[in-house]
Amino acid sequence: SSNNKIACNSCHLLDQYGVDGLDFSLGVPGTPVGRNSPTTYNAFFHIAQFWDGCAPTVEEQTKGPILAGKEMGMPSPEAVVAKLKGIAAYPPLFKAAFPRDTDPVSYNNVGTAIGAFERNLVTPGRFDDFLAGNSSALTDQEKRGLNSFVTTGCVTCHTGPLVGGNSYQKLGLVKPWPNQDDPGRSVVMKNVAYKMFFKVPSLRNIEKTGPYFHDASEKKLADAITKMAKHQ
């Protein structure tokens, strides 16, 4: 970061399920960012990155916050490269990782390297065993919960192995969402019809990754579920 005090791990803590637990993370200026920071765990499986899907891959996503004024605040890709080249340990590591590049310390390679790391951030669990055919991997209570989840209709959007993360949906589909300030995906699509459309979050590790929703409007998982039942 521009002040040498913020890293990716400042907002996406690897020992806290890839989040910082704040409503909105604090960047270099010390002011809150515009949306709740999602988890980095399993993120590369998603259809795209960011709440509005503006980056297609984790490699592209990682290059955004470094240059964002309210986040890590670096003034340009060139400034990032100069800072990395000024740290003695980095040039030989980049050369080892990108041996075919004549100038391996590049901004694109920063994204490639961090993306390669993020593609190791996976959290397999008992649910995967259940999906693979092991019916005893879940308890009877968990199976009843899964049945309710499916029959209630949650699975319409929260589907697939990630239980979400693979589609976009309007937030407030049945009843308008209380907070209408965020343009959602309309900026990416350049179409006002996509206002309040967001990437459906994955429910992997959801108990550990609150606060919930892009606007951090719910702190407890049970309250988030109730809110979804009302508005979706």
Side-chain angles (χ1 to χ4, degrees):
S1 64
S2 59
N3 64 358
N4 298 319
K5 294 181 178 180
I6 294 177
C8 306
N9 195 64
S10 301
C11 303
H12 304 284
L13 281 71
L14 297 183
D15 60 351
Q16 293 188 32
Y17 291 87
V19 299
D20 57 11
L22 300 177
D23 286 2
F24 305 102
S25 303
L26 302 178
V28 166
T31 54
V33 300
R35 291 171 178 158
N36 178 259
S37 297
T39 177
T40 46
Y41 281 102
N42 308 299
F44 76 93
F45 286 119
H46 291 197
I47 188 174
Q49 304 303 312
F50 294 111
W51 281 98
D52 58 9
C54 64
T57 65
V58 288
E59 286 78 10
E60 286 301 311
Q61 182 280 328
T62 194
K63 294 187 291 184
I66 298 173
L67 302 180
K70 289 186 176 182
E71 297 182 51
M72 299 178 79
M74 287 298 288
S76 67
E78 293 75 19
V80 176
V81 169
K83 178 169 282 192
L84 292 175
K85 286 184 175 179
I87 300 172
Y90 271 124
L93 291 172
F94 271 84
K95 184 61 180 176
F98 304 98
R100 298 178 182 176
D101 291 9
T102 55
D103 189 9
V105 186
S106 70
Y107 197 59
N108 278 339
N109 284 349
V110 169
T112 299
I114 296 176
F117 169 73
E118 288 192 18
R119 289 176 183 274
N120 289 289
L121 300 179
V122 296
T123 58
R126 290 185 294 113
F127 185 57
D128 297 286
D129 297 333
F130 181 79
L131 293 179
N134 180 4
S135 61
S136 64
L138 299 183
T139 67
D140 289 342
Q141 183 179 11
E142 288 166 343
K143 290 175 186 176
R144 289 194 295 272
L146 176 59
N147 184 65
S148 295
F149 184 86
V150 172
T151 57
T152 300
C154 308
V155 76
T156 303
C157 301
H158 293 282
T159 187
L162 293 182
V163 202
N166 52 18
S167 65
Y168 302 101
Q169 184 57 267
K170 183 178 181 179
L171 189 59
L173 189 63
V174 174
K175 182 179 180 180
W177 196 251
N179 177 6
Q180 293 285 318
D181 293 339
D182 198 309
R185 194 160 161 73
S186 64
V187 175
V188 177
M189 300 299 290
K190 297 180 173 58
N191 186 337
V192 71
Y194 288 90
K195 183 179 180 180
M196 296 305 297
F197 274 74
F198 297 94
K199 182 178 67 175
V200 176
S202 164
L203 300 186
R204 290 269 176 168
N205 306 313
I206 193 66
E207 184 185 14
K208 305 293 186 179
T209 57
Y212 302 106
F213 307 115
H214 71 286
D215 58 4
S217 55
E218 292 297 343
K219 308 300 184 287
K220 297 180 180 180
L221 182 57
D223 293 338
I225 294 169
T226 299
K227 193 169 188 176
M228 287 299 285
K230 180 186 297 183
H231 292 276
Q232 285 318 94

